[in-house]
Amino acid sequence: GLQPYQMQDKWAQIQLTGEIKIESQLFHLEAMDKVFLLSDVDEFYDQLEKIFKEDLTGTQEQWIVSNPCFEIWLYYCYMNNPEKDLMCLKSEPVATRSKKMKTICNTLISGGINPRLAFDHMVTGIEHSNAHYAVDDNGIPVLYATQMHYMAQYLVDTLNNNANEYSEYVKRKEEWRRLMKSN
């Protein structure tokens, strides 16, 4: 729920102390850790533009920005025709695009686009997201674009570097679904 400036300040504080406190649990930032700062474009364009111009990013953190919002990533995990399916967002005011996107996503797929199930579809999401990825002159994703494919690829690669954990997980889940359908 933090705005980009707040996220940037929080990240700077974490870098100074080397600690991340989530509720009552304390975590220590290690050199091997990768931190993703996720933001929607929404009404935060000006903040993101200034942050990106400062170019304070290092190797440990990476901004992941979605336009209009995170739900564009969920859309790409399941579907791949934003110019048709999401066309109405172009005329929608920036301030209400995210709300409209959430409403659209719930009508495109029976039962809605389930974020918990999107993990199983990350490879599809990566492919679809890459196909529609573009940024403007300030490095901010244009409408229908997200940088979530960078984070998803990192997760898939990291998990697969350890005995192909992600690929095996997806394979077992597909087998389970086939088994359940045949019963």
Side-chain angles (χ1 to χ4, degrees), residues 38-102:
L38 278 64
S39 179
D40 298 342
V41 170
D42 282 335
E43 67 275 9
F44 305 125
Y45 187 95
D46 292 341
Q47 288 185 38
L48 292 166
E49 179 183 21
K50 288 178 183 168
I51 289 169
F52 285 14
K53 280 184 180 175
E54 291 174 13
D55 195 27
L56 297 175
T57 58
T59 57
Q60 202 167 14
E61 82 278 356
Q62 182 175 351
W63 280 93
I64 302 294
V65 179
S66 299
N67 191 351
C69 56
F70 176 77
E71 282 72 17
I72 192 70
W73 165 251
L74 298 177
Y75 171 84
Y76 286 135
C77 287
Y78 296 91
M79 304 184 84
N80 192 27
N81 194 354
E83 288 295 333
K84 176 183 172 265
D85 297 333
L86 309 174
M87 180 178 56
C88 64
L89 292 178
K90 286 185 177 184
S91 60
E92 189 73 25
V94 172
T96 56
R97 276 184 181 162
S98 291
K99 185 177 180 180
K100 182 75 167 183
M101 177 74 187
K102 290 173 176 103

Side-chain angles (χ1 to χ4, degrees), residues 7-17:
M7 292 168 60
Q8 186 181 36
D9 290 345
K10 187 84 164 162
W11 173 240
Q13 179 186 5
I14 290 167
Q15 288 177 295
L16 283 175
T17 64

Side-chain angles (χ1 to χ4, degrees), residues 163-180:
N164 271 341
E165 280 182 286
Y166 180 76
S167 297
E168 289 299 317
Y169 164 82
V170 171
K171 190 186 315 177
R172 285 192 310 273
K173 196 99 179 243
E174 287 171 358
E175 289 170 4
W176 179 81
R177 284 187 185 115
R178 275 195 295 277
L179 180 65
M180 296 309 289

